[in-house]
């Protein structure tokens, strides 16, 4: 078992020891005196030039990092008891938050925020998905799954099995890929879970994205304040979770746009799960930029436009990158709002680009439209992050009231 491997002592550079004094959750390999031939997933004792133990971590050369899991001279080895203790504390938080109820979807382990850098665990009713951010961390993902299968049932939560995924970085325009294995019972091909009582169909095996992003839970719940009785356009609709939220809130019409037909069929299934008739609404398989241009040319307007794009995509003829193209997208969305004004719902992943407000400012300048911020939001509380690492709070969502078009 990988968690039982002996600790390998590695010496930090003077700069690395200084860096570690700030108690980071990650160290670059450059902070080690020597990182050559470092075995992926190897538990490490990080020592200074005098041989004193400063921390314990796990080697992740695939990401050019050491994952720091425990600090101080008494730092614990990253073995099964350590993982179980971290998971127990993580579960206590989720039970306090009220999200761990045996049928809902929530994040149980959020990497660095729960002391397990490089690992995440999401619970979907009676099953979990544990994701390692490199092949070398897969053994520790298994330890998390095994601990969850012991701790959750003991707490009255009916966890039956866990899917293990290794997140493999894509190259160029290619998307990230995932490989998976199962610990315990294998989940069904299609699993229905609930979020605040709303059912969604999920597919837990075969890819990184399972059909529902739990980090958007509170933004789905809050959508009703802005869409009741409105004509809503949901771009990059994927499996339609935001479209479902809009329909349940009483939107008059909803147009869902995605480049692929498969996710839109999945979205219609999600409508049916909520007892909603999908037929009065529009379902458009299209590149979003082309669709917005066609709507503008037709003179069709929408009271609310939802922009929830991926960070990068190789699907367009001219490749989409949020960092580069978001202002143009916001301007195109403004062009299909009514001339008197409307509402934009805008999300941004700040891992690979500026804050959402930078995108908004640039996009509104292109559109030449005034606007007021109604709300700014981010990650829900089951996604804790370290205080000294603001970059970990990657999600930003802005609610924007856009004013009348200028003559």
């Amino acid at each position: 078992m990988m968690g039982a491997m002996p600790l390998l002592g590695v010496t930090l550079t003077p700069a690395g020891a200084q860096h570690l004094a700030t108690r980071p959750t990650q160290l670059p390999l450059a902070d080690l005196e020597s990182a050559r031939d470092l075995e992926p997933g190897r538990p490490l004792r990080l020592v200074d030039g005098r041989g004193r133990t400063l921390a314990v971590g796990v080697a992740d050369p695939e990401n050019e990092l050491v994952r720091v899991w425990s600090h101080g001279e008494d730092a614990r080895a990253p073995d099964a008891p350590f993982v179980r203790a971290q998971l127990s504390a993580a579960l206590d938080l989720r039970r306090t938050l009220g999200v761990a109820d045996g049928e809902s979807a929530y994040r149980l382990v959020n990497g660095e925020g729960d002391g397990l850098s490089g690992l995440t665990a999401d619970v979907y009713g009676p099953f979990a998905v544990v994701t390692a951010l490199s092949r070398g961390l897969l053994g520790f993902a298994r330890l998390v799954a095994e601990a969850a299968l012991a701790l959750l049932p003991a707490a009255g939560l009916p966890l039956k099995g866990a899917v293990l995924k290794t997140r493999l970085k894509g190259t160029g325009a290619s998307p990230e890929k995932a490989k998976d294995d199962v610990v315990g019972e294998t989940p069904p091909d299609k699993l229905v879970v609930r979020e605040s009582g709303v059912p969604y169909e999920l597919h837990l095996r075969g890819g990184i994205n399972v059909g529902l992003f739990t980090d958007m839970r509170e933004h789905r719940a809050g959508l009703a304040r802005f869409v009741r009785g409105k004509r809503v356009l949901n771009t990059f609709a994927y499996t339609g979770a935001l479209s479902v939220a809009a329909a349940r809130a009483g939107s008059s019409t909803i147009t869902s746009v995605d480049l692929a037909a498969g996710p839109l069929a999945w979205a219609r299934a999600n409508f049916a799960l909520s007892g909603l008739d999908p037929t009065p609404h529009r379902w458009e398989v299209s590149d979003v930029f082309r669709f917005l241009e066609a709507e503008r040319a037709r003179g069709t307007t929408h009271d609310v436009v939802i922009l929830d794009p991926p960070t990068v995509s190789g699907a367009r003829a001219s490749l989409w990158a949020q960092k580069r193209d978001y202002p143009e997208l916001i301007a195109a969305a403004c062009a299909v709002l009514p001339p008197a004004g409307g509402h934009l719902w805008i999300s941004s992943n700040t891992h690979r680009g500026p804050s959402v407000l930078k995108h908004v400012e640039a996009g509104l300048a292109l559109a030449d439209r005034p606007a007021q911020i109604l709300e700014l939001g981010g990650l829900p509380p089951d996604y804790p992050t370290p205080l000294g690492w603001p970059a970990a709070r990657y999600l930003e969502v802005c609610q924007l009231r856009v004013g009348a078009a200028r003559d």
Side-chain angles (χ1 to χ4, degrees):
M1 181 183 296
M2 186 169 290
M5 292 173 68
L7 291 170
L8 173 67
V10 294
T11 303
L12 295 164
T13 64
Q18 231 177 3
H19 185 193
L20 192 62
T22 65
R23 301 181 73 84
T25 57
Q26 303 174 357
L27 285 177
L29 294 183
D31 279 348
L32 306 182
E33 290 284 4
S34 176
R36 287 187 305 168
D37 302 321
L38 205 55
E39 183 182 358
R42 182 64 187 261
L44 303 176
R45 176 182 288 110
L46 305 175
V47 302
D48 64 11
R50 292 185 286 175
R52 294 180 303 176
T53 299
L54 301 181
V56 166
V58 177
D60 186 6
E62 294 169 72
N63 290 300
E64 301 182 354
L65 295 171
V66 172
R67 307 281 181 177
V68 183
W69 283 6
S70 188
H71 290 266
E73 291 187 21
D74 299 323
R76 296 178 57 185
D79 53 14
F82 173 83
V83 169
R84 186 183 177 104
Q86 297 300 106
L87 195 70
S88 179
L91 178 58
D92 285 346
L93 171 62
R94 277 64 179 189
R95 295 185 77 189
T96 298
L97 295 172
V99 295
D101 59 10
E103 66 172 16
S104 296
Y106 62 94
R107 175 146 290 189
L108 176 60
V109 172
N110 193 47
E112 291 76 10
D114 289 297
L116 293 169
S117 175
L119 299 172
T120 62
D122 296 289
V123 175
Y124 303 102
F127 294 94
V129 173
V130 183
T131 304
L133 296 188
S134 67
R135 295 176 184 85
L137 296 172
L138 185 57
F140 295 102
R142 186 172 293 275
L143 291 181
V144 170
E146 291 168 351
L149 285 166
L151 288 171
L152 270 69
L157 303 171
L159 192 67
K160 298 177 182 179
V163 179
L164 305 182
K165 295 183 184 287
T166 308
R167 193 162 191 160
L168 307 178
K169 293 288 187 182
T171 56
S174 300
E176 293 177 332
K177 298 179 180 179
K179 295 184 177 180
D180 57 57
D181 195 3
V182 175
V183 177
E185 185 177 322
T186 299
D189 291 340
K190 296 180 181 180
L191 176 72
V192 175
V193 301
R194 294 183 177 273
E195 178 184 273
S196 304
V198 181
Y200 294 98
E201 177 189 305
L202 305 185
H203 305 170
L204 300 190
R205 302 195 66 189
I208 281 292
N209 298 327
V210 303
L212 186 71
F213 295 103
T214 54
D215 56 3
M216 284 288 189
R217 180 193 312 108
E218 298 193 357
H219 302 295
R220 282 188 285 271
L223 186 63
R225 294 169 294 167
F226 308 110
V227 301
R228 190 169 290 110
K230 305 293 186 181
R231 298 165 298 159
V232 176
L233 170 60
N234 183 16
T235 65
F236 308 96
Y238 185 42
T239 60
L242 285 165
S243 295
V244 169
R248 291 176 66 99
S251 297
S252 59
T253 61
I254 301 160
T255 301
S256 301
V257 182
D258 198 272
L259 190 62
L264 288 184
W266 192 343
R268 289 192 289 271
N270 279 331
F271 265 59
L273 284 174
S274 279
L276 300 166
D277 182 1
T279 55
H281 304 286
R282 291 175 65 190
W283 307 90
E284 299 284 346
V285 178
S286 175
D287 173 89
V288 168
F289 275 93
R290 290 177 183 151
F291 178 81
L292 290 172
E293 175 57 29
E295 290 287 271
R296 187 197 64 77
R298 286 188 287 262
T300 304
T301 60
H302 305 266
D303 302 311
V304 178
V305 179
I306 296 171
L307 301 177
D308 186 23
T311 307
V312 294
S313 173
R316 295 183 67 212
S318 55
L319 302 181
W320 158 265
Q322 192 177 101
K323 184 176 181 179
R324 180 192 65 225
D325 300 323
Y326 217 155
E328 179 190 351
L329 176 63
I330 292 170
C334 285
V336 299
L337 293 174
H343 186 96
L344 289 183
W345 185 107
I346 303 174
S347 77
S348 177
N349 185 327
T350 60
H351 273 329
R352 299 189 191 178
S355 71
V356 69
L357 291 183
K358 293 292 185 183
H359 293 309
V360 165
E361 290 167 3
L364 290 174
L366 285 176
D368 195 23
R369 299 282 288 261
Q372 297 85 40
I373 297 167
L374 301 182
E375 182 179 82
L376 282 173
L379 293 172
D382 52 325
Y383 279 69
T385 56
L387 181 64
W389 192 26
R393 301 202 65 80
Y394 62 87
L395 178 66
E396 293 183 346
V397 179
C398 179
Q399 306 296 335
L400 203 68
R401 182 172 66 177
V402 177
R406 296 186 175 101
D407 293 332

